[in-house]
Amino acid sequence: MADSMVASFWGPVTSTTELCEENYAHSSYIAEFYNTISNVPCVLLALIGLVNAFCQGFEKRFSVLHISNMILAIGSMIFHATLQLLLQQSDETPMVWEILLYMYVLYSPDWHYRSTMPTFLFLYGAAFAVVHFFARFQVVFKLHYVGLCLLCIPWMYKYYIQTKDVGAKRLAKLWVLTLTLGTLCWLVDRVFCKKLSHWYVNPQGHAWWHVLMGLNSYYANTFLMFCRAQQRGWEPRITHLLGFLPYVKVQKPEKRE
């Protein structure tokens, strides 16, 4: 819970976002301990996805997508560790950039004027970063982010109904499940913070939001990689790392001499 009078290694809290965790309860170097460390699984999942995409020769867009997941998680760690207004942008702006990347990955296979899409999305993302830096939207930022997310759902559903593989469909269902549970954790943490702060044990809803959204991004990326491999005739299949973490394995056709 933000308190502008609290001081620490980073100085007084200046962020505009108030979350339901006591500041500097565990360390004078970390403002929101659980909201900070809950981003670590997100970084690890994105790293696993990046290695898989690179080693199996997927297009660069998927490597960039995994890297953007890592940047978002690291930016979130920095913000929650410091609760500084300036560093709040390192959490919020990458959220928009990440969704713009998802839009590119989802829309680009069916986009006839392919050179226009990355140009437009890049300029849009850059313009948003500048405007958000000076205006520092709060409600508008959340509505804008939700709106961009909603634009991705029809194409995800399109890929879902086109895919016949049971394992790939399970990934899409896990994407929906983690998104739903994560949103619920975020809402409970925001709406019932005053009541939760009096509980003997704080359920740390925002920290669970981080973990679930890290899984959500990983499932989405893996599902989209599977669909792209199908489009390219790479005979993809879903297998599991250590018996539980799904990833895509492809069998590319041999090149004819």
Side-chain angles (χ1 to χ4, degrees):
M1 292 174 286
D3 183 351
S4 60
M5 299 303 293
V6 173
S8 70
F9 177 82
W10 305 106
V13 172
T14 59
S15 66
T16 60
T17 301
E18 182 176 356
L19 299 167
C20 200
E21 181 178 355
E22 185 180 353
N23 296 340
Y24 301 104
H26 300 277
S27 171
S28 60
Y29 296 96
I30 302 177
E32 295 177 340
F33 182 80
Y34 294 106
N35 288 343
T36 300
I37 65 171
S38 58
N39 283 288
V40 174
C42 308
V43 176
L44 295 177
L45 286 169
L47 182 60
I48 292 171
L50 174 62
V51 171
N52 185 38
F54 181 79
C55 291
Q56 297 202 72
F58 278 89
E59 294 149 303
K60 292 180 180 178
R61 69 188 71 172
F62 291 101
S63 295
V64 173
L65 190 57
H66 288 296
I67 291 172
S68 76
N69 295 152
M70 282 192 282
I71 291 173
L72 175 57
I74 293 170
S76 180
M77 290 176 69
I78 293 171
F79 166 60
H80 288 292
T82 63
L83 289 182
Q84 297 299 298
L85 180 59
L86 180 62
L87 295 175
Q88 190 171 332
Q89 309 300 311
S90 70
D91 181 29
E92 295 176 345
T93 300
M95 290 174 65
V96 172
W97 290 348
E98 182 184 61
I99 290 298
L100 294 177
L101 277 169
Y102 277 112
M103 292 177 67
Y104 174 68
V105 172
L106 285 164
Y107 282 70
S108 59
D110 299 319
W111 194 264
H112 297 294
Y113 306 99
R114 295 188 179 182
S115 62
T116 61
M117 176 174 282
T119 302
F120 170 76
L121 293 177
F122 175 81
L123 293 175
Y124 186 94
F128 172 82
V130 173
V131 174
H132 187 45
F133 177 80
F134 290 103
R136 290 169 179 166
F137 303 119
Q138 294 188 50
V139 176
V140 172
F141 165 77
K142 294 178 178 65
L143 293 175
H144 174 250
Y145 180 73
V146 170
L148 292 177
C149 292
L150 291 175
L151 290 176
C152 296
I153 292 177
W155 254 252
M156 287 291 284
Y157 180 69
K158 172 189 172 183
Y159 286 140
Y160 175 79
I161 61 176
Q162 289 178 344
T163 301
K164 306 302 180 185
D165 185 86
V166 175
K169 283 185 173 292
R170 186 179 297 114
L171 283 173
K173 292 175 182 177
L174 287 170
W175 173 73
V176 174
L177 177 63
T178 51
L179 179 62
T180 303
L181 292 176
T183 302
L184 183 62
C185 288
W186 185 87
L187 286 172
V188 169
D189 189 78
R190 298 286 292 182
V191 176
F192 301 104
C193 180
K194 290 184 178 180
K195 292 183 179 180
L196 295 175
S197 62
H198 291 96
W199 286 18
Y200 183 73
V201 177
N202 188 331
Q204 304 297 342
H206 196 82
W208 283 110
W209 150 263
H210 288 160
V211 174
L212 288 166
M213 293 312 294
L215 285 167
N216 179 263
S217 296
Y218 181 82
Y219 291 141
N221 296 355
T222 306
F223 175 71
L224 291 173
M225 288 167 65
F226 181 93
C227 294
R228 184 56 177 161
Q230 270 194 328
Q231 291 173 345
R232 303 194 68 178
W234 286 358
E235 299 182 14
R237 60 187 177 88
I238 300 296
T239 187
H240 294 81
L241 179 66
L242 302 176
F244 70 92
L245 187 65
Y247 71 97
V248 180
K249 191 172 183 63
V250 301
Q251 180 65 49
K252 297 181 181 179
E254 294 182 3
K255 293 183 180 180
R256 296 180 179 179
E257 298 292 340

